[in-house]
Amino acid sequence: PYPHHHSPPVISSLSPTCGPAGTVVLITGTGFGNTPGASTVKFFSGVTATVNSWSATSISVTVPAAATTGNVVVTVDGRTSNEVMFTNPCGGQPTQQPNPQQLSLKAVMPTH
């Protein structure tokens, strides 16, 4: 009766889209689930972020110290979201904001 439980999470936006380690980033989207459970938010080279708060449509995380520029991915119950670029630090950000509609939905196979 709840087909959305079987679809992967979707990241619609990050705020901000850049910042140094320690920056609090709000991830908005759908399908995150009401509690983190075994779900994770990973920055870039697989560094797991510290979760400050978690709801079905928004997650607040702190950028980990080891993070560099790259994609943010939310994994819920083994299902991986689309990837959204985060720039660390802000100096590396392109002059124009990326259009969220142009983000590629790349499937990522979980590694065990």
Side-chain angles (χ1 to χ4, degrees):
Y2 300 105
H4 62 275
H5 282 244
H6 299 291
S7 56
V10 175
I11 299 173
S12 56
S13 67
L14 302 179
S15 178
T17 57
C18 69
T23 300
V24 174
V25 178
L26 184 65
I27 303 169
T28 53
T30 58
F32 298 150
N34 291 323
T35 60
S39 306
T40 59
V41 176
K42 291 195 175 179
F43 279 77
F44 333 123
S45 56
V47 181
T48 302
T50 300
V51 173
N52 303 311
S53 66
W54 190 291
S55 74
T57 56
S58 67
I59 306 168
S60 171
V61 297
T62 301
V63 177
T68 55
T69 295
N71 291 317
V72 175
V73 174
V74 177
T75 302
V76 178
D77 293 332
R79 291 183 293 277
T80 306
S81 73
N82 54 310
E83 300 178 350
V84 180
M85 179 66 71
F86 184 87
T87 307
N88 175 4
C90 288
Q93 187 167 20
T95 51
Q96 64 182 36
Q97 284 290 99
N99 182 340
Q101 305 305 320
Q102 294 172 344
L103 292 170
S104 64
L105 299 176
K106 188 173 90 178
V108 178
M109 294 303 295
T111 54
H112 295 291

